[in-house]
Amino acid sequence: MEIGGLAAIVGTEHVLTGAATRGLLGDMTESRGVAGHAEAVVRPADAGEVAAVMAWCWEHGVALTPRGGGTGYAGGCVPQGGVVVALERLRDVRSFEPLLWRAEVEAGLTTHDVRRRARESGLYYPPDPGAGEQSHIGGNVATNAGGPHAFKYGVTGAWVTGLEVVLPPGRLVRIGGAVRKDVAGYDLRSLLIGSEGTLGIVTAVTLRFVPAPEAALPAIAFYADEHSGGEAVQAAMASGIVPAALEFLDREALEIVRAAFPFDVPPDAGFALIAEADGDLASAQRGQAALHELMAPDALAVHLPSAPAEVAALWRWREGVGLAAAAALGGKASEDVGVPVERLAEIVAGTRAIGARHDLATCSFGHAGDGNVHATFLLRSGDATATERAHAAAQELFALAIELGGTVSGEHGLGGVKNGQLRHQWDPAAVALHDGVKRLFDPRGLLNPGKKLA
Ligand SMILES: Cc1cc2nc3c(=O)[nH]c(=O)nc-3n(C[C@H](O)[C@H](O)[C@H](O)COP(=O)(O)OP(=O)(O)OC[C@H]3O[C@@H](n4cnc5c(N)ncnc54)[C@H](O)[C@@H]3O)c2cc1C
């Protein structure tokens, strides 16, 4: 590939090749052996340059893989040749209108920066996927990322009113904007949200916010196993309040992070449930008390932190669970299956049984209220066949999730690692529509090839 044309668009110093691309061709699937290759990584400065890069690639038949913060768990930004379009230089806040609860930000701003900007003005941007200091808002849109507080507030898409996106063959298009309701056309905004860079490249996002809740008060309860824990999840949902978050860890996950937990963990705990009530101080306190009352009966212990520093420590600890699981034996293959909430205990127990059949240690944790489970197979460093066994185990896990009425992916997407799974889950007619949408947007198949295929 002759890259002079790309250098003419973005400048020579922003076309990286060879060793300079190191660290820009992978994501979190690296620890399970997923590796990418590309002829160049380009770093456009703005939306106009993204459009020009796509037009150049289209003309030369070169594949493009959009890259955000590289924190994905599905290999979505891992290129299979062609050019990586890294969005890291698109970091402007184009407009911020706190009194109208909204902002337009460029795709490369980190999730953390968006949340911080909102908070500084007394506002709240709820989506909080766990790698927010590194993940980009564009990557969050492309994966429709969730996080602990998606239970009450919804996933990223619930907070996006408009997109600026580069579509093949290199056109900059606006879909939606600051308007909060818009049913004039088919919902193209939702179609692009979660499309994992296979339909277009997001260059800017119009977000809505809400006034920040005054207080957030968690209740953490420990149970003997996932069966009593699963019952407690349903009890918390019947508490009469909408918990802001309902997170869980199974016995093995608790074991991995027990030492770092900011409070005491009972020695026989086999399941932890973290619920949170938010709102003005009085309602958060009432909510915490209601959660306590319903979660306590079968619990081995309950903690009710109230100091902001304690609450912050709890969520920092929760954010570290995934990385601690990866470090436990040297690597992990972590899936993100989703099931109806009342099937939570079955998928947790099923993950453990599948792991045992493939001689793999497991742990499960995640978003209990959403039935979204990070079912994790631990990979021991030096175990030459662990990755292969984890792949086989994952196929059984996906089948179980579907059998339980669930999904193969609750929040990470199909990316490259779950390709082809959708056709086990969806009706053939729906799969055909899925394929047709891809062809309509990207008739030459140049946008993130090999990803999110049904
Ligand atoms: C510790 C940890 C905790 C996590 N917790 C959560 C969680 O709670 N919930 C959750 O949902 N996820 C979670 N994740 C996964 C990950 O952070 C999210 O999927 C995140 O949205 C990915 O954003 P990114 O910018 O890193 O995207 P990348 O990994 O760079 O890319 C992800 C996909 O989006 C595409 N893409 C990226 N930017 C654009 C763009 N501008 N336009 C079009 N396509 C684009 C890529 O091609 C790829 O297909 C976690 C990850 C880690 C490491």
Side-chain angles (χ1 to χ4, degrees):
M1 185 180 83
E2 174 47 60
I3 58 172
L6 291 171
I9 298 167
V10 298
T12 314
E13 69 276 32
H14 296 300
V15 181
L16 311 178
T17 56
T21 64
R22 196 168 301 137
L24 296 171
L25 304 180
D27 68 0
M28 301 309 289
T29 56
E30 240 166 37
S31 77
R32 60 199 280 186
V34 179
H37 61 100
E39 298 195 44
V41 175
V42 296
R43 298 188 304 183
D46 55 33
E49 287 191 6
V50 175
V53 166
M54 188 187 287
W56 185 92
C57 288
W58 204 257
E59 195 187 324
H60 293 84
V62 172
L64 308 93
T65 299
R67 179 182 180 82
T71 68
Y73 270 118
C77 70
V78 181
Q80 333 234 305
V83 163
V84 171
V85 183
L87 280 307
E88 66 200 34
R89 293 175 67 213
L90 275 74
R91 301 180 73 88
D92 275 358
V93 175
R94 291 186 183 170
S95 66
F96 181 38
E97 296 161 286
L99 296 180
L100 298 173
W101 306 354
R102 70 182 185 221
E104 186 187 13
V105 302
E106 289 192 334
L109 206 67
T110 65
T111 319
H112 190 264
D113 277 342
V114 170
R115 286 169 57 84
R116 182 180 51 79
R117 289 293 293 253
R119 198 168 49 239
E120 283 169 359
S121 293
L123 296 172
Y124 185 42
Y125 174 69
D128 54 349
E133 294 196 4
Q134 198 185 326
S135 65
H136 292 180
I137 198 74
N140 294 163
V141 168
T143 54
N144 202 4
H149 292 87
F151 180 65
K152 175 172 180 177
Y153 292 100
V155 294
T156 299
W159 300 89
V160 174
T161 59
L163 291 175
E164 180 190 83
V165 60
V166 175
L167 299 178
R171 272 190 218 107
L172 193 59
V173 176
R174 292 191 79 89
I175 293 168
V179 64
R180 291 168 65 95
K181 292 171 77 179
D182 180 359
V183 296
Y186 296 132
D187 194 351
L188 297 185
R189 184 182 51 87
S190 293
L191 194 54
L192 284 156
I193 294 169
S195 64
E196 299 184 59
T198 60
L199 303 181
I201 303 183
V202 176
T203 50
V205 188
T206 307
L207 296 168
R208 65 184 189 90
F209 305 126
V210 282
E214 184 188 359
L217 295 174
I220 306 128
F222 296 95
Y223 301 90
D225 56 30
E226 60 272 10
H227 301 290
S228 46
E231 301 275 310
V233 173
Q234 293 176 55
M237 288 175 71
S239 63
I241 66 150
V242 184
L246 264 181
E247 298 282 295
F248 85 98
L249 288 83
D250 78 347
R251 179 184 304 280
E252 292 80 359
L254 259 180
E255 212 43 64
I256 290 170
V257 292
R258 174 189 291 270
F261 186 60
F263 311 96
D264 284 340
V265 179
D268 45 350
F271 190 93
L273 180 61
I274 305 167
E276 187 175 74
D278 69 356
D280 62 61
L281 185 59
S283 359
Q285 284 169 336
R286 264 198 317 277
Q288 189 190 40
L291 288 169
H292 180 204
E293 193 181 326
L294 284 157
M295 288 161 64
D298 288 328
L300 305 170
V302 184
H303 296 289
L304 300 173
S306 57
E310 286 179 312
V311 176
L314 173 74
W315 287 113
R316 255 198 320 279
W317 169 82
R318 167 63 190 88
E319 272 185 22
V321 173
L323 297 179
L329 297 183
K332 66 167 182 166
S334 199
E335 302 301 345
D336 64 316
V337 290
V339 292
V341 65
E342 70 279 14
R343 316 302 297 264
L344 184 68
E346 287 168 83
I347 194 81
V348 170
T351 302
R352 195 177 290 130
I354 292 169
R357 280 203 290 281
H358 294 271
D359 193 21
L360 290 165
T362 63
C363 68
S364 291
F365 56 94
H367 315 301
D370 287 324
N372 185 192
V373 176
H374 296 307
T376 302
F377 302 105
L378 302 181
L379 311 177
R380 188 178 293 283
S381 315
D383 180 341
T385 61
T387 305
E388 215 174 286
R389 299 199 313 275
H391 179 75
Q395 310 311 303
E396 287 181 32
L397 175 74
F398 299 147
L400 176 62
I402 293 169
E403 188 190 316
L404 294 175
T407 173
V408 298
S409 178
E411 62 179 10
H412 295 158
L414 294 191
V417 299
K418 273 174 278 187
N419 256 345
Q421 288 296 333
L422 191 60
R423 53 190 72 239
H424 301 304
Q425 184 179 320
W426 274 15
D427 186 283
V431 169
L433 280 171
H434 193 274
D435 291 346
V437 166
K438 170 66 177 172
R439 276 196 304 277
L440 183 64
F441 273 80
D442 180 20
R444 299 180 67 186
L446 292 177
L447 259 178
N448 213 356
K451 313 293 168 54
K452 209 175 182 68
L453 303 178

